Amino acid sequence: MRLAEQIANFLGRVEVVLAGVDDALREGNDAVAAGDAMRARKSARQILARVPGSPLGLALLADACELGGLDAELALTLEELAERVPSRADVWTRLGAARAATGSPVDEVRDAYVRALAVALAGSDARREALLTLADIDLTAGDGARAELWLDRAANDSSADIALRRAEARLAQGDAPHALKLLDGFESDPTDGRGALARGRAYARLGDARAFTGLLRAAVLETKGASEELSSALAWIPTDAPTRSRVRTVVEARGEAGLARYRAAFARAEGHRREALDALRDAVASGDTSAAEPLLEAALEDRDFASLRAALDALSAARTDSPLIADAQRIPALDAGLSHHDAGADLFNALDAVTEARVAPWADASARALAALWVPPNGAEAAWSALLSRLDSLARELALLDAIADVAELSAERARPVRVAIVGEFNAGKSTFINALIGADVAPTGVLPTTATLHHLRYAPDPFARILFATREGEAHPRADRMVPTTSLRAVLKGDLESPVRRVEILLPIAALTRVELLDTPGFNAPDASHAQAARTAFEEADFILWLFDAAQAMKQTERVILEEARAAKLPVQVLVNKADRLKPDDLAKVMALVEASLTELGMASWSPPIALSARLALAGKLGDATALTASHWDDVQKLFDEQIVARSSELKERALRRRAAIVVAKLASRAARIAEEERVRSDADAARVQSL
């Protein structure tokens, strides 16, 4: 229905009749019906001359201008009419179309349709037109999420044009599978170029050659954007010769075979990637802006920084709201940054923000390259300052307090020496071994398994021992630490203590402890299960494990279980077979062979070949018995300690820091996955609620 008739039905003709220009109105309507735009325009001007601002006169003038293609005058007329009858949704929708036709800013076009939506009756054509056009405006801008909001307001409308736009909205958000599902829900008309284009784009985003069926049809129907999508798909989706032939036929029929983007697309399709990239860059450099987007896509696929910069420079500022271009703009900053070992977290943040599917592979590869700079795969020292700073930032962002504490501990651990844990069953001779290693009788040997706990030996200018107590049942806080002379430690631990001992620290002015700290662990086969747990705590603290077997009973089942735990923790383990002096040479050889075979069976290896020794004889030798020292085979142990632990302390430290950092990362990943799942559930619930409303 013509606008003049709609306004007449709405307001009546009283105003025109009273002014005596009803004949002019009738003459104008007859002229419009006859297709005579100029005669209708003349009649409308007669009415407006007698009744300035008359809605009927303005409506007739609008009909005449629309009929005559007078877009500028039509827009001015509708602007005035909208002021006179602001409650008419059909006036606002026509004003929105007129603003678009005269090149008004998109916000002004959008405003007209929003106003139409505000006054349109439920179920009216004007309301539907406003919703579809608002969705189209956002789809053109690449804002699929906002387009979906308009379409959701037409929830009961399951027509093909709504479904098509929903599919386009999902495509704009990178969800090609969902888009295809929506498109499969209705049958497209063979002449529907927009539907064919959407289907082709969806398959193209999935790298599926079925894209060419829809894209070729859309191109034949001269659908806007089809030619660009076709050249893009040809450039990066693998094709066979018949498909390329069909594309060439359509392109030549459209007279586009000479375009740089098509020349480059065919070159890439035929395997001449470098030539295609050069051709597109030359075209852009010569001012051919139509080659800018194909160059951008080719640069993203080939990960060519120079081509990417050229494409972005050539694209107009008006197109930067495209998700593809917005994400592509994050990449150039990485070119220089990735060459620096201390590249900042800002680069990671830029990579995190990338969501567009065509940019994501490059962003992922860049993230891996940056990670390799921070954590070199060859085992060289990581960029711990930058790495720990980022882990701390992520832990705080995820509100994971224990991970924040773990990162702080990692930072502190960087400054301490390598920490070696001496592990084995009760009575394997661990404390005696430590005393022999230190060259002094300092570790409390002979302590009962019911009182044994973790002993930490480290350097201090003055010798003393600190006993740390655990919290007893019913107590709010543990007892204060107790300081004792190292000479009195054994007696104190054997005595009656009011609270359970959590840990013992032995601080000694021994130079060796500046390079290596020692953990003397309780036997994991002690009667009290808490002592086995204390021994396992050493796995969390230690950088290296020295495992002592009793030569008389090596590789018992209980030891195999704990060895498997050490292997699972990815700890480097050096195997030592103690008390070798108690066995004959032949028997000792059998024990060593058994140890080697058992380690192989467990799927692990000693850091260097297992060594047989006698810690008891070594300690006696360190205290002055030269014969005992020779018989102890301590030279092998000392060489191991010097060459495989002290000399490789930086390597061991780096391995330990990485192992603990990986645990922190696993915590962060678990927390992030949990948050993501919670957000997904909330999003699904919100969507269901909106759909219900």
Side-chain angles (χ1 to χ4, degrees):
M1 183 182 292
R2 294 190 296 273
L3 188 57
E5 293 180 9
Q6 294 173 333
I7 296 298
N9 292 338
F10 177 62
L11 295 176
R13 293 178 170 79
V14 175
E15 172 188 65
V16 173
V17 172
L18 291 177
V21 288
D22 53 326
D23 288 341
L25 177 62
R26 186 166 46 255
E27 172 69 15
N29 285 330
D30 290 344
V32 170
D36 190 341
M38 292 300 102
R39 184 158 59 93
R41 180 175 180 273
K42 180 179 179 181
S43 297
R45 288 296 183 187
Q46 291 175 353
I47 297 172
L48 292 171
R50 295 287 297 273
V51 189
S54 165
L56 279 173
L58 290 170
L60 178 59
L61 181 57
D63 285 338
C65 290
E66 187 173 26
L67 180 63
L70 306 174
D71 292 341
E73 187 176 358
L74 172 63
L76 291 172
T77 303
L78 289 170
E79 295 283 0
E80 186 176 354
L81 182 59
E83 292 181 5
R84 299 289 180 180
V85 284
S87 61
R88 293 290 304 182
D90 50 356
V91 173
W92 286 111
T93 57
R94 294 196 184 197
L95 176 57
R99 285 177 175 176
T102 55
S104 297
V106 68
D107 287 343
E108 293 182 10
V109 177
R110 185 195 305 275
D111 178 70
Y113 285 104
V114 170
R115 287 174 177 267
L117 191 60
V119 297
L121 296 175
S124 66
D125 290 341
R127 173 181 167 80
R128 190 173 190 278
E129 180 184 352
L131 287 172
L132 292 181
T133 308
L134 286 167
D136 284 343
I137 290 171
D138 289 327
L139 288 171
T140 300
D143 192 344
R146 186 169 176 175
E148 279 190 320
L149 294 177
W150 299 119
L151 298 172
D152 284 342
R153 298 179 70 171
N156 295 327
D157 192 332
S158 58
S159 59
D161 50 0
I162 292 286
L164 171 59
R165 286 167 173 80
R166 289 188 187 279
E168 291 172 333
R170 297 315 305 173
L171 276 174
Q173 297 174 78
D175 188 359
H178 192 180
L180 278 175
K181 184 177 180 181
L182 290 166
L183 291 168
D184 289 340
F186 67 93
E187 188 70 30
S188 296
D189 188 282
T191 61
D192 178 15
R194 183 171 177 174
L197 176 59
R199 196 177 299 275
R201 288 175 59 209
Y203 279 121
R205 296 298 179 270
L206 297 173
D208 191 322
R210 284 178 287 181
F212 291 101
T213 301
L215 295 178
L216 284 169
R217 175 178 294 178
V220 169
L221 294 171
E222 299 187 350
T223 307
K224 184 178 179 180
S227 178
E228 292 79 4
E229 289 287 345
L230 180 59
S231 63
S232 173
L234 179 63
W236 72 278
I237 297 177
T239 54
D240 53 19
T243 299
R244 291 194 293 274
S245 177
R246 289 197 301 273
V247 174
R248 192 179 296 278
T249 299
V250 171
V251 171
E252 289 175 349
R254 289 173 56 90
E256 295 180 334
L259 293 178
R261 56 185 168 85
Y262 270 116
R263 293 202 312 272
F266 280 111
R268 292 178 71 82
E270 292 163 1
H272 309 304
R273 301 172 68 88
R274 188 70 250 176
E275 293 88 332
L277 201 59
D278 291 342
L280 288 171
R281 287 177 62 176
D282 291 344
V284 168
S286 66
D288 183 0
T289 56
S290 68
E293 285 198 35
L295 177 60
L296 173 64
E297 293 177 344
L300 289 172
E301 186 178 356
D302 290 355
R303 301 178 188 175
D304 187 293
F305 277 110
S307 298
L308 180 63
R309 287 197 187 90
L312 291 174
D313 289 343
L315 290 166
S316 65
R319 296 297 307 276
T320 55
D321 56 354
S322 160
L324 175 64
I325 297 174
D327 275 353
Q329 287 174 328
R330 306 179 198 278
I331 298 295
L334 304 175
D335 188 13
L338 288 178
S339 64
H340 297 298
H341 179 274
D342 295 325
D346 289 345
L347 292 179
F348 263 128
N349 293 336
L351 293 169
D352 289 344
V354 171
T355 58
E356 223 290 335
R358 283 168 285 181
V359 186
W362 194 351
D364 291 343
S366 298
R368 287 192 293 272
L370 181 53
L373 284 176
W374 280 14
V375 188
N378 62 3
E381 183 180 3
W384 286 107
S385 296
L387 180 58
L388 293 178
S389 175
R390 180 160 178 81
L391 289 178
D392 179 72
S393 175
L394 292 172
R396 293 178 187 278
E397 184 178 340
L398 294 170
L400 198 56
L401 297 181
D402 59 339
I404 296 173
D406 290 342
V407 173
E409 289 181 12
L410 273 172
S411 183
E413 283 183 20
R414 293 178 60 199
R416 66 164 173 76
V418 171
R419 188 171 290 172
V420 177
I422 316 302
V423 179
E425 293 198 332
F426 183 72
N427 276 336
K430 298 183 297 296
S431 297
T432 302
F433 175 84
I434 289 175
N435 288 334
L437 192 62
I438 296 296
D441 192 5
V442 293
T445 58
V447 179
L448 294 175
T450 53
T451 60
T453 187
L454 197 67
H455 293 66
H456 182 188
L457 283 76
R458 57 190 180 88
Y459 177 83
D462 299 303
F464 67 94
R466 177 189 291 124
I467 302 175
L468 291 77
F469 295 98
T471 304
R472 288 196 308 179
E473 187 176 352
E475 288 182 341
H477 303 286
R479 283 183 56 194
D481 300 347
R482 181 174 175 182
M483 307 295 185
V484 300
T486 55
T487 54
S488 305
L489 179 59
R490 185 181 291 106
V492 172
L493 292 177
K494 285 186 175 181
D496 292 330
L497 296 171
E498 296 179 0
S499 296
V501 177
R502 177 170 59 86
R503 188 186 189 93
V504 175
E505 293 185 349
I506 304 172
L507 296 97
L508 300 165
I510 297 176
L513 294 178
T514 62
R515 299 175 300 170
V516 178
E517 294 181 357
L518 300 175
L519 289 175
D520 183 11
T521 64
F524 46 76
N525 61 330
D528 190 338
S530 65
H531 297 155
Q533 184 56 43
R536 289 184 173 92
T537 301
F539 289 175
E540 301 174 8
E541 295 188 27
D543 305 326
F544 189 84
I545 299 293
L546 279 175
W547 195 288
L548 257 68
F549 287 113
D550 185 334
Q553 45 186 349
M555 275 295 178
K556 294 189 296 185
Q557 182 58 35
T558 51
E559 292 173 312
R560 289 170 177 264
V561 171
I562 308 301
L563 274 169
E564 287 182 347
E565 293 183 19
R567 178 176 59 82
K570 299 182 179 179
L571 279 162
V573 176
Q574 173 62 49
V575 171
L576 301 174
V577 179
N578 193 21
K579 304 181 183 180
D581 56 314
R582 299 185 180 183
L583 297 180
K584 295 178 180 179
D586 290 347
D587 293 334
L588 180 59
K590 293 178 182 178
V591 169
M592 298 303 289
L594 170 65
V595 168
E596 292 271 16
S598 298
L599 289 173
T600 301
E601 185 180 336
L602 289 171
M604 64 184 297
S606 179
W607 183 250
S608 64
I611 297 174
L613 73 143
S614 170
R616 178 182 64 82
L617 293 178
L619 179 58
K622 289 293 187 75
L623 296 178
D625 187 343
T627 303
L629 185 61
T630 301
S632 69
H633 297 287
W634 187 257
D635 286 347
D636 295 338
V637 176
Q638 191 64 54
K639 183 178 179 182
L640 163 76
F641 198 79
D642 292 340
E643 296 180 0
Q644 298 297 325
I645 298 178
V646 175
R648 299 175 67 180
S649 60
S650 297
E651 176 188 348
L652 292 171
K653 192 69 185 175
E654 182 69 17
R655 287 169 59 112
L657 288 171
R658 292 189 183 201
R659 185 174 65 252
R660 295 188 182 97
I663 294 172
V664 175
V665 170
K667 288 182 180 179
L668 296 176
S670 176
R671 172 70 170 170
R674 187 161 60 251
I675 291 174
E677 177 61 18
E678 291 170 356
E679 290 179 350
R680 186 194 64 78
V681 171
R682 282 196 299 271
S683 177
D684 289 349
D686 289 345
R689 181 175 58 82
V690 169
Q691 183 71 17
S692 176
L693 290 173

